[in-house]
Amino acid sequence: MKKTVLLFLLALACIPMGAQDLPHYKRVIKALSSAKYQGRGYAKDGANKAGKFLKKEFQKSGVDEITLQPFKLDINTFSGQMQMWADGKKLRAGVDFSMREYSPGVHGTFPVYHVDTLNFDVERLFADLAKPEYANCLVSCEFWFTYRHRDVFSRLQKTGECTNAGLIYTWEAPIKFFKAYGERVVDKPILWVTPEAIEGVKKVRVEVDNKFLKDYECFNVIAKVEGVRHDSCYVFTAHYDHLGNLGKKIFYAGANDNASGTAAIVTLAGYYAKNRPPYDMYFIAFSGEDANLRGSTWYTEHPIVPLQQIKYLFNIDMIGDNNPVQYCEVSDEGMRGFSLFEQINGRQHYFNSLHRGDLAANSDHYPFAERHVPCIFLENEKGDAFQYYHTIFDTYKTVRFDSYMPVFQLVRDFVEQFQ
């Protein structure tokens, strides 16, 4: 009798709790955030190399079909020189400064003009910048102030409007980097710098190279698990691209953003490959998300299955965190499904609560929502890892794994119960 009970307990221990695969999830995150893929950007082909890795991962998961869907984008990159000095003190790229995504390269030594935001006067600003001592200067100002007065500061970005050489936007540490509007290059360089690195500085030297890539070819990785029925399908999406390089030595690992979501759909594909679903399941790893949702937009314009056949779409982005409240965004057509999400979570207590925010163009669900697809965006924000979003500190060491299992279980339960 004791032997029988022991054998039963051993057999039970071999069954994965909830069928999620945490070790595999961690391995995929660790691989995607490694130096091999250089931040999954474009200058060193990191995104495309990561896409080929994902193709192999989906194959190993046992999916039925894999399609690589190519598309092209224009993107500005920074993989050459990346150096800056403030009054002779060398600043650290990615820590003290970075570049605005649509900035050209910049080389030389420049005086710094600090904008008086407390007594701001547009006429005085342009009068000061016309003085000989500020010819070819970099204008330094707090970013959100420039945003509120963007009609003025946009003039300072254009050749012929003023003699300034460029702009410095100050941003509290940790300094961030973006790619969304990198499909163009403006006339003058724009640098992100922490306030403490530029405060009171009179002169800076900058040596930064940019390279604009025209018609750079990327691809979405699409895996399919066949269900019993083929007239409808579920879609699971995550973007695998990230910010890439900042100079020759620095890359943005993007462990949370979004190796975490990508790893989740890989393990979901493995689960459904082993547990044949009632409907076809598509797992789409998008490239070009950090370049203004280019991959998902391309897919919605060239779907491999009609969009109206999608019963529900789950976009999983940045779940590598530990906030017990799960953030969501839902399309209008997805609201009936969101009620079911709330009911399931209320019964199972996967998260303390679900917080629904306003629908926004902040990830790959949005092009689908615009086309009336029922969808939900799942992002675990404002936990311990969220502070490192779009910084060089979003690494495998700072990512958190708390949200993976509850997200997996919530999605799995939804698919089982949604009618």
Side-chain angles (χ1 to χ4, degrees):
M1 182 66 180
K2 289 183 178 179
K3 184 177 181 181
T4 302
V5 172
L6 180 61
L7 289 173
F8 173 77
L9 292 174
L10 288 172
L12 190 65
C14 293
I15 300 174
M17 190 66 178
Q20 64 277 348
D21 191 345
L22 183 58
H24 187 200
Y25 176 74
K26 289 182 176 181
R27 287 197 303 271
V28 174
I29 293 177
K30 190 171 186 178
L32 288 174
S33 57
S34 70
K36 181 176 181 179
Y37 300 112
Q38 288 293 297
R40 306 186 304 282
Y42 314 105
K44 296 185 179 181
D45 210 32
N48 288 346
K49 290 176 181 177
K52 293 173 184 176
F53 163 78
L54 288 171
K55 178 184 177 182
K56 294 179 181 178
E57 288 297 307
F58 279 125
Q59 287 172 333
K60 289 189 290 185
S61 295
V63 301
D64 297 304
E65 296 177 17
I66 297 178
T67 302
L68 302 184
Q69 182 187 47
F71 65 95
K72 294 180 180 179
L73 54 77
D74 299 339
I75 195 72
N76 195 30
T77 65
F78 300 94
S79 61
Q81 292 188 81
M82 184 62 57
Q83 299 181 90
M84 183 176 182
W85 294 262
D87 283 342
K89 179 183 178 181
K90 189 167 186 178
L91 304 185
R92 299 163 294 176
V95 178
D96 302 314
F97 80 99
S98 69
M99 300 300 296
R100 190 80 209 226
E101 64 268 39
Y102 45 71
S103 176
V106 53
H107 297 272
T109 300
F110 309 91
V112 178
Y113 176 87
H114 297 272
V115 175
D116 183 355
T117 58
L118 295 178
N119 304 288
F120 184 64
D121 182 277
V122 176
E123 290 185 4
R124 189 181 71 184
L125 169 67
F126 282 92
D128 284 348
L129 294 178
K131 296 176 181 178
E133 60 265 36
Y134 291 118
N136 205 39
C137 71
L138 293 179
V139 177
S140 177
C141 188
E142 191 269 330
F143 169 72
W144 290 111
F145 186 89
T146 73
Y147 185 78
R148 292 192 297 272
H149 299 274
R150 52 191 175 275
D151 56 331
V152 174
F153 287 89
S154 64
R155 293 170 59 187
L156 300 180
Q157 297 178 13
K158 299 175 183 177
T159 300
E161 289 286 338
C162 189
T163 61
N164 68 302
L167 290 149
I168 292 172
Y169 291 160
T170 63
W171 185 286
E172 295 291 336
I175 202 76
K176 296 188 183 295
F177 185 48
F178 299 93
K179 274 290 186 189
Y181 301 106
E183 76 277 2
R184 71 191 194 279
V185 177
V186 297
D187 293 345
K188 298 177 182 179
I190 304 169
L191 298 91
W192 296 107
V193 183
T194 60
E196 55 270 25
I198 200 67
E199 184 179 5
V201 169
K202 295 181 178 179
K203 190 171 291 187
V204 297
R205 178 187 164 199
V206 188
E207 303 293 342
V208 170
D209 297 328
N210 80 305
K211 184 176 182 181
F212 187 76
L213 305 179
K214 181 74 175 174
D215 291 330
Y216 183 84
E217 189 166 295
C218 306
F219 55 86
N220 299 321
V221 183
I222 307 168
K224 178 184 178 182
V225 172
E226 290 191 356
V228 177
R229 293 176 56 178
H230 310 296
D231 56 332
S232 297
C233 63
Y234 286 96
V235 179
F236 306 82
T237 70
H239 75 91
Y240 70 88
D241 68 305
H242 193 49
L243 301 175
N245 306 95
L246 188 70
K248 297 178 181 179
K249 298 180 180 180
I250 294 173
F251 69 92
Y252 290 81
N256 184 22
D257 183 18
N258 183 36
S260 64
T262 304
I265 69 167
V266 169
T267 60
L268 279 162
Y271 170 75
Y272 286 111
K274 295 178 180 68
N275 300 272
R276 190 62 57 182
Y279 296 94
D280 290 343
M281 301 285 193
Y282 289 88
F283 306 86
I284 310 177
F286 289 120
S287 190
E289 191 269 357
D290 271 303
N292 207 16
L293 313 183
R294 295 295 296 275
S296 52
T297 299
W298 179 263
Y299 180 87
T300 56
E301 294 169 349
H302 307 85
I304 67 171
V305 63
L307 297 182
Q308 61 267 27
Q309 289 189 16
I310 300 176
K311 285 178 67 66
Y312 216 86
L313 179 145
F314 313 86
N315 180 39
I316 304 176
D317 194 348
M318 291 175 59
I319 62 165
D321 217 329
N322 57 4
N323 189 344
V325 176
Q326 175 65 44
Y327 178 79
C328 312
E329 292 177 15
V330 188
S331 67
D332 290 343
E333 291 76 10
M335 283 305 298
R336 182 173 69 89
F338 184 65
S339 297
L340 178 58
F341 266 99
E342 290 185 307
Q343 292 170 22
I344 293 170
N345 189 66
R347 290 193 300 267
Q348 302 297 334
H349 306 290
Y350 293 135
F351 293 96
N352 288 356
S353 63
L354 304 180
H355 170 64
R356 184 170 68 88
D358 294 333
L359 186 67
N362 53 3
S363 190
D364 289 317
H365 59 292
Y366 191 74
F368 291 90
E370 284 189 306
R371 291 162 177 82
H372 308 292
V373 173
C375 59
I376 187 167
F377 169 48
L378 299 172
E379 178 184 271
N380 190 256
E381 63 173 26
K382 298 184 179 178
D384 290 337
F386 186 75
Q387 62 185 309
Y388 304 120
Y389 162 70
H390 277 203
T391 75
I392 62 171
F393 305 109
D394 178 9
T395 67
Y396 189 74
K397 291 182 179 180
T398 59
V399 73
R400 298 291 180 264
F401 304 109
D402 305 42
S403 295
Y404 166 65
M405 287 191 280
V407 165
F408 187 106
Q409 292 165 329
L410 185 57
V411 169
R412 178 208 58 197
D413 291 359
F414 177 92
V415 170
E416 289 177 356
Q417 299 175 38
F418 189 59
Q419 301 297 323

